[in-house]
Amino acid sequence: MAQVPAVEYETTIFTLQPDNIGPNKATLLHARTKNNNSNFYKAILYIHGFIDYYFHDHVCMRFLEKGYDFYALDLRKCGRSIISPEHDQYKHYCNDLREYDEEITLAIEHITKEATTQHRKILLFGHSTGGLIATLYASSGSRNADIDAVILNSPYLSIVESTAIESALLTVLRKLKISQDVDAGWYGRSIHVSDRGEWNFDLNKIPIDTVRLHGSFFSAVHRVHQDLIKGRIKMKCPVLLMCSNRSMHAEKQWCDEYGETDIVVNVKAMRCAATMISSQVTIYEIENAKHDIFLSKQSVREKAFGLMFRWLRYLEEDCIGDGAVDESIDLTYTNDDIRLCTIQRTIPQQKIGVCYHYFVPQQFHYIKLAEASSPSLARRAGLKSFDRIIFLNGVNIENATSADILFRFDTARHLPVQILVCSPATYEHYKTNQKQFRLDLPSIQHVKPVFATSTSDFDTDAPSVSIDNESFYAVRWENSNIVSTVSQSVVFKSPQYTHLNDICCIETAGQYKNGQIILKGSRHDCEKLKTPYFASKIGNVFGTFSKFFIRKTPNGSDVTNAQSDTIQTDLTIQHTHDNNTSRHHANALQHIQDRTCTTLEELPIELFYYIFTFIDIQHLYKAFGELNSRLNHILQSYKNFSLIFDNKVDPLLMNLYAPYVARLIIRTSIHCDFKQFSNLHELVLCIENSQQFAQIQPNVIPNLTRLSFLLGSAFTLPQELTWDIFSNQFPSLRHVSFGCINVSLRDSWTTSPSLQFVSILSCKPMCIPAILTACPNLQHLQVNILYNDHNDLITSSSPLNHPLRRLTLWSDYAELTFDAIDNILSYTLNIESFYLQTIYSTSLIDLAHSLVRRLHYLSRFDCYITENVTKNDRFNNLTDLHQIHPCFHRVQSIEENDKFRVLATK
């Protein structure tokens, strides 16, 4: 078994929004480094995989040694965040992977509060499914701008290794959204100490024999995979992907190769998918690694640690102390020494020979030249060690972070590198005299651009470069549609490394400009592309092509105009012999016109309705809108569309489909006029915005049936809106979810007979009878008691026989006393199902007797109770509890010591 030193963690519990299963929470562990730097804070947030939890103390130790604070998040319904044994069957259950946005955002907010320094670096570390979740969050999460880099350990970016039968089972589970117990396979057994591994983890949290797969989870994963394939998931930060060098499907019989390969995810497909998630992905293949790289044998994981921290060194600020800059530098100013240096690589991954540094005390960026026996590109371009960096590719970076610079540098590797630098003395002079650096300063020296003559990282001056004065390029200038013809000799890139579509630095009229190579050939050939007529014709091809909806009958004949709304326009493409690109466009267009395809008209309307349930309406209209009359009719006849209103919504397009939206999710503070959604039945608000709240009125949304505020427990609903909800102003409203409500006007509430479900994240016991009185037909009440004044007991004239059938009470921080619980139950005598989660200072057996006496219809009891009773004072035989009533048979002790024990239902 692997020997790992003990790590001390601080634990934070996040109370999350409940879902259709019940309440949720997430658990954040935090280990503090002793090697931290007072001027710079580094933190890593670890996200575990599928049916998994965090137990990687050895990984934590390595990051602590490197000066990182280490955080690990047990996601909802996983590991330490499983609320009760009953929820064991829902491990990693979710309906949408974006649900995890809530706990990850809370964790990042917690980390940023811990960062007491101005400069910080936060990294996401995701394994397997956690890697997919981390990728999604870094792409579009609420606080993704705070993520400086992402490390992916065998991320679930692609299909799993499976047989045809297993693949078919997953497809059925996904489409029907059902659950199924299946054999866990060899992977868990290959890593646990009880079988063939060296790691001792909790088998209740990670079962290695049988696991329950939930179709809703795989449906959520499938949707994210589709978004990834379509290029909708992009990370802007640097990404490191680490995986095994091979994968294979595990058979029923054990094979020693399973311990040295990935038997979970298809590695080849994973690497392919990785190229689509970011423009700056580094992939390390680790020979003989398992699915979790850092649970492989010691020699393998040591290699992985070495590669990972080598990559991290490239991202870290190398110089952060007072002595970081050479103190012998002469700061005596004589005149401006400002240089605009331009470098052209031969290949994007080529290094130019500089290291970027940041000096924290005075907050400036500077460079050091890499030591080499031969001149580097940077040295040839006129850069010097300790030059201060002012502009990078035309953008002032004086106030940028090091991560910003690396991002700008890495995302522009295919472009010429243009750096405006100045000497230390010039920088000191400008800052002392409060002078501004500008790109149009007359004192700037425009150093002649240099280009690499080989693919070496430390490019040497080539003896000679062959220049052919008879060869020309057609160039489209940067930020312009103007096309010019230039000689090969004025292009600052070696001819043998210059290709079509390359962007190069070019000398023209004594200046240096960037341009894209669109043709290589003779002057005569290139001159033909200068005419605006040709450019306009190419544009017409794309414009007409995008409007085509070409259909053919099964026998290949054209569909008549009576069957199609599309009028096919004749195209004339002139000068196609002049350019390979135009010939390619014409051939592609002709191929589509000639092909035979299945018509959309043949698909039944029920299938369209099924497809529509998975796709946001704005994407549906972009895909199917205005294609033909039948599709238009189908779109207009379906009345249950969903719309996520965010910064990407096209307001003009929304005018077309707004009347058909039934479910609206608001994720931005941009104004949204609710009146245009005449069919709206469900509203979910994820952003606190007074203008949006003001529109939640019966005359604006008369058919509202579900209303949810996903704004956390601290959010208090406006008083007027609270009155409307509990006074039947929304006569169709069935389901409401709040953070906290203001009950100061409760005596003026009338009744809302339509309400059947109410969920409140922050509630006093005294509010409960007011809610019951206002909702005479309520079926399920779910409340989180965040605070409880023992003197704040219920005193109300509320009815004592409410028909409520389900009650969920939980409190993670305040104790629900016997009197408080009994007082609440006195108003809900018809309860059939009761869930209780709290700290409890007396014996549970006394409460059980009271529940049986009070609730005559009780048939199901679930709990997660921390019983703060010493071992000598509590009843130790749970049989006495089980004999009180059959609903207590499932109560078990899952954790105990001399001071307390945790009782929960399995």
Side-chain angles (χ1 to χ4, degrees):
M1 185 174 74
Q3 299 297 319
V4 181
V7 180
E8 293 183 3
Y9 295 99
E10 301 168 15
T11 303
T12 301
I13 305 296
F14 299 128
T15 300
L16 308 177
Q17 290 286 341
D19 57 15
N20 57 312
I21 302 302
N24 287 307
K25 71 174 183 178
T27 307
L28 182 68
L29 304 182
H30 176 199
R32 299 180 183 273
T33 181
K34 297 180 180 179
N35 299 326
N36 60 316
N37 187 291
S38 58
N39 294 320
F40 189 68
Y41 184 81
K42 299 185 297 184
I44 188 147
L45 177 60
Y46 181 100
I47 301 176
H48 59 77
F50 175 66
I51 308 186
D52 196 1
Y53 78 108
Y54 168 74
F55 60 92
H56 299 60
D57 288 354
H58 63 298
V59 176
C60 173
M61 288 296 298
R62 292 301 185 94
F63 278 101
L64 297 179
E65 292 169 2
K66 298 295 182 179
Y68 286 80
D69 263 19
F70 189 91
Y71 296 81
L73 183 64
D74 275 11
L75 301 171
R76 65 186 66 195
K77 296 182 177 66
C78 296
R80 301 169 182 85
S81 300
I82 296 176
I83 290 180
S84 68
E86 178 197 10
H87 284 196
D88 274 353
Q89 62 182 311
Y90 298 110
K91 287 185 177 75
H92 230 120
Y93 174 95
C94 76
N95 295 298
D96 190 334
L97 292 190
R98 288 174 175 82
E99 292 174 7
Y100 300 114
D101 184 291
E102 184 181 7
E103 52 255 59
I104 298 175
T105 296
L106 290 171
I108 292 175
E109 290 174 349
H110 183 93
I111 295 172
T112 56
K113 291 177 182 177
E114 288 285 337
T116 57
T117 61
Q118 179 182 359
H119 300 280
R120 65 171 186 260
K121 186 183 295 294
I122 299 176
L123 283 70
L124 272 186
F125 184 117
H127 165 59
S128 194
T129 302
L132 182 63
I133 294 169
T135 298
L136 182 62
Y137 188 90
S139 171
S140 58
S142 301
R143 295 290 295 265
N144 66 333
D146 291 304
I147 305 300
D148 296 296
V150 175
I151 300 175
L152 302 176
N153 173 8
S154 304
Y156 185 17
L157 301 180
S158 61
I159 60 175
V160 297
E161 285 287 344
S162 60
T163 63
I165 295 177
E166 291 169 341
S167 178
L169 173 61
L170 286 179
T171 301
V172 171
L173 292 177
R174 174 171 57 81
K175 290 189 175 182
L176 299 182
K177 294 187 177 181
I178 59 178
S179 301
Q180 178 67 42
D181 292 331
V182 300
D183 180 55
W186 279 111
Y187 177 67
R189 303 167 198 169
S190 73
I191 59 176
H192 194 261
V193 67
S194 65
D195 201 316
R196 301 176 184 271
E198 57 178 312
W199 305 100
N200 188 16
F201 49 83
D202 189 342
L203 294 180
N204 290 321
K205 296 180 173 66
I206 308 179
I208 62 175
D209 295 317
T210 302
V211 297
R212 171 158 292 192
L213 303 182
H214 298 285
S216 61
F217 168 79
F218 287 100
S219 179
V221 169
H222 179 73
R223 291 195 297 272
V224 174
H225 282 170
Q226 292 303 305
D227 285 345
L228 191 152
I229 292 171
K230 295 176 181 178
R232 297 170 181 165
I233 298 177
K234 294 289 186 183
M235 292 184 282
K236 295 182 179 180
C237 59
V239 179
L240 171 64
L241 186 146
M242 308 179 72
C243 61
S244 179
N245 64 322
R246 58 183 179 143
S247 59
M248 62 189 304
H249 174 72
E251 303 293 342
K252 292 185 178 181
Q253 188 70 27
W254 169 259
C255 172
D256 289 339
E257 285 186 283
Y258 298 167
E260 298 181 345
T261 186
D262 192 325
I263 57 175
V264 178
V265 177
N266 186 309
V267 170
K268 184 177 180 180
M270 178 208 308
R271 292 196 299 264
C272 180
T275 61
M276 296 184 285
I277 60 177
S278 175
S279 60
Q280 41 184 335
V281 179
T282 301
I283 300 177
Y284 288 154
E285 292 184 9
I286 312 299
E287 187 175 2
N288 297 330
K290 295 181 179 180
H291 177 55
D292 189 334
I293 304 296
F294 297 101
L295 298 184
S296 304
K297 62 183 180 182
Q298 184 172 358
S299 60
V300 174
R301 61 179 184 263
E302 286 299 325
K303 179 181 178 181
F305 278 126
L307 290 172
M308 179 177 67
F309 286 115
R310 186 181 73 178
W311 182 80
L312 285 174
R313 283 198 299 272
Y314 294 146
L315 303 181
E316 296 175 8
E317 289 80 359
D318 294 82
C319 300
I320 56 177
D322 292 336
V325 179
D326 190 347
E327 296 180 355
S328 64
I329 296 175
D330 185 7
L331 298 179
T332 303
Y333 174 80
T334 55
N335 50 46
D336 281 1
D337 179 10
I338 310 174
R339 284 156 277 128
L340 184 63
C341 305
T342 306
I343 300 171
Q344 179 80 59
R345 298 182 179 91
T346 55
I347 53 177
Q349 60 268 34
Q350 187 173 35
K351 296 179 181 179
I352 63 174
V354 299
C355 295
Y356 294 95
H357 298 257
Y358 183 71
F359 188 59
V360 171
Q362 297 180 25
Q363 299 181 10
F364 61 75
H365 301 275
Y366 68 100
I367 63 172
K368 284 185 179 180
L369 300 186
E371 297 297 330
S373 57
S374 56
S376 64
L377 282 169
R379 200 181 300 274
R380 288 171 48 205
L383 296 173
K384 304 174 184 178
S385 286
F386 303 107
D387 275 345
R388 306 321 191 219
I389 311 172
I390 311 299
F391 283 83
L392 179 60
N393 290 335
V395 177
N396 188 296
I397 52 82
E398 290 180 270
N399 296 320
T401 65
S402 295
D404 291 334
I405 293 181
L406 287 169
F407 172 71
R408 292 184 182 280
F409 189 80
D410 286 340
T411 54
R413 284 184 171 275
H414 62 293
L415 303 174
V417 181
Q418 191 178 68
I419 310 176
L420 183 74
V421 297
C422 70
S423 65
T426 302
Y427 185 85
E428 186 74 15
H429 170 74
Y430 268 64
K431 293 305 175 182
T432 301
N433 294 280
Q434 298 183 348
K435 299 172 66 175
Q436 299 294 320
F437 288 100
R438 304 191 315 273
L439 287 172
D440 60 352
L441 289 174
S443 58
I444 293 178
Q445 306 171 49
H446 292 263
V447 182
K448 185 176 181 178
V450 299
F451 58 89
T453 55
S454 72
T455 58
S456 169
D457 285 339
F458 295 100
D459 185 81
T460 59
D461 288 305
S464 63
V465 176
S466 175
I467 300 295
D468 181 2
N469 290 324
E470 297 300 320
S471 297
F472 291 84
Y473 298 141
V475 176
R476 179 181 290 111
W477 297 107
E478 189 175 52
N479 301 322
S480 170
N481 287 325
I482 298 175
V483 177
S484 301
T485 300
V486 300
S487 170
Q488 183 191 86
S489 60
V490 299
V491 177
F492 288 91
K493 192 168 185 180
S494 295
Q496 63 268 38
Y497 297 112
T498 305
H499 308 287
L500 289 181
N501 298 320
D502 281 358
I503 297 177
C504 305
C505 184
I506 302 167
E507 184 177 7
T508 174
Q511 297 181 334
Y512 305 114
K513 298 173 62 177
N514 286 349
Q516 184 178 25
I517 309 298
I518 61 174
L519 182 66
K520 297 171 65 175
S522 66
R523 179 189 288 273
H524 175 74
D525 291 335
C526 294
E527 288 290 331
K528 294 176 182 178
L529 297 185
K530 291 176 62 177
T531 60
Y533 176 80
F534 180 83
S536 66
K537 283 300 179 183
I538 293 297
N540 288 340
V541 171
F542 282 114
T544 307
F545 175 75
S546 65
K547 298 177 183 178
F548 264 47
F549 183 67
I550 302 164
R551 298 174 295 166
K552 299 273 186 168
T553 60
N555 61 12
S557 60
D558 292 324
V559 178
T560 65
N561 286 335
Q563 295 171 292
S564 173
D565 302 327
T566 305
I567 300 175
Q568 299 185 14
T569 306
D570 291 335
L571 296 178
T572 302
I573 304 177
Q574 301 185 24
H575 307 298
T576 57
H577 61 283
D578 295 333
N579 184 269
N580 290 334
T581 304
S582 60
R583 281 199 300 271
H584 179 72
H585 293 158
N587 291 338
L589 191 59
Q590 187 63 46
H591 169 72
I592 293 177
Q593 289 176 320
D594 292 340
R595 70 190 175 122
T596 300
C597 59
T598 302
T599 66
L600 288 172
E601 282 77 6
E602 295 175 352
L603 300 179
I605 191 171
E606 293 81 4
L607 182 57
F608 280 107
Y609 286 169
Y610 179 74
I611 294 172
F612 292 171
T613 62
F614 295 99
I615 308 176
D616 189 86
I617 189 172
Q618 57 182 321
H619 302 308
L620 284 172
Y621 262 73
K622 290 178 181 179
F624 298 116
E626 302 305 320
L627 287 181
N628 60 47
S629 58
R630 181 170 187 261
L631 284 174
N632 285 342
H633 174 73
I634 293 174
L635 287 171
Q636 294 170 11
S637 64
Y638 187 68
K639 300 296 184 181
N640 198 30
F641 288 112
S642 295
L643 170 64
I644 298 176
F645 187 85
D646 55 21
N647 296 330
K648 300 177 182 179
V649 168
D650 184 343
L652 295 177
L653 185 61
M654 189 171 67
N655 292 332
L656 299 176
Y657 56 69
Y660 313 111
V661 172
R663 183 171 187 257
L664 178 63
I665 303 171
I666 305 291
R667 288 184 175 175
T668 177
S669 58
I670 296 175
H671 177 69
C672 177
D673 185 2
F674 293 170
K675 288 184 178 179
Q676 60 188 317
F677 302 100
S678 56
N679 186 48
L680 189 61
H681 286 76
E682 181 177 359
L683 178 63
V684 181
L685 292 103
C686 307
I687 297 292
E688 187 171 346
N689 185 289
S690 58
Q691 292 182 342
Q692 294 172 353
F693 295 162
Q695 295 187 76
I696 307 176
Q697 299 178 15
N699 62 328
V700 178
I701 321 175
N703 302 314
L704 189 64
T705 59
R706 298 174 68 94
L707 178 61
S708 301
F709 297 85
L710 306 184
L711 301 171
S713 59
F715 166 73
T716 300
L717 198 66
Q719 185 171 284
E720 297 79 7
L721 183 55
T722 304
W723 188 91
D724 286 344
I725 290 171
F726 291 108
S727 298
N728 202 33
Q729 298 304 299
F730 296 92
S732 300
L733 193 60
R734 302 283 188 272
H735 183 292
V736 291
S737 297
F738 311 111
C740 180
I741 61 173
N742 187 333
V743 296
S744 59
L745 298 179
R746 64 183 181 275
D747 292 337
S748 65
W749 293 354
T750 57
T751 60
S752 287
S754 64
L755 279 175
Q756 297 180 0
F757 175 89
V758 174
S759 175
I760 306 175
L761 286 181
S762 177
C763 183
K764 285 187 176 182
M766 61 177 291
C767 302
I768 294 176
I771 296 170
L772 295 173
T773 302
C775 308
N777 297 314
L778 193 65
Q779 297 296 307
H780 187 185
L781 176 62
Q782 193 168 273
V783 291
N784 180 16
I785 311 295
L786 289 184
Y787 37 80
N788 181 26
D789 184 348
H790 296 315
N791 296 319
D792 185 19
L793 297 180
I794 300 172
T795 55
S796 172
S797 58
S798 304
L800 296 178
N801 195 24
H802 194 281
L804 187 74
R805 291 290 184 264
R806 293 184 62 189
L807 176 63
T808 300
L809 293 177
W810 82 97
S811 175
D812 290 325
Y813 306 106
E815 178 182 358
L816 293 179
T817 64
F818 178 93
D819 290 339
I821 297 171
D822 189 67
N823 211 348
I824 293 171
L825 296 178
S826 66
Y827 297 89
T828 56
L829 302 178
N830 296 295
I831 287 178
E832 298 173 355
S833 176
F834 181 36
Y835 175 85
L836 179 64
Q837 177 178 330
T838 185
I839 302 167
Y840 202 65
S841 297
T842 56
S843 174
L844 177 60
I845 198 167
D846 296 328
L847 177 61
H849 283 295
S850 177
L851 293 178
V852 172
R853 289 193 300 267
R854 176 75 75 180
L855 306 175
H856 300 294
Y857 300 98
L858 186 65
S859 60
R860 184 179 183 89
F861 175 77
D862 298 281
C863 69
Y864 189 89
I865 298 174
T866 302
E867 190 184 60
N868 283 336
V869 180
T870 62
K871 187 173 184 178
N872 294 331
D873 295 331
R874 63 179 177 238
F875 68 97
N876 293 307
N877 188 357
L878 291 180
T879 303
D880 295 337
L881 175 65
H882 297 161
Q883 291 175 348
I884 295 174
H885 191 277
C887 68
F888 300 115
H889 285 177
R890 296 177 300 113
V891 178
Q892 293 184 346
S893 174
I894 63 172
E895 182 180 357
E896 62 180 281
N897 56 34
D898 292 339
K899 297 181 179 180
F900 75 94
R901 66 177 172 182
V902 177
L903 298 174
T905 45
K906 64 179 181 178

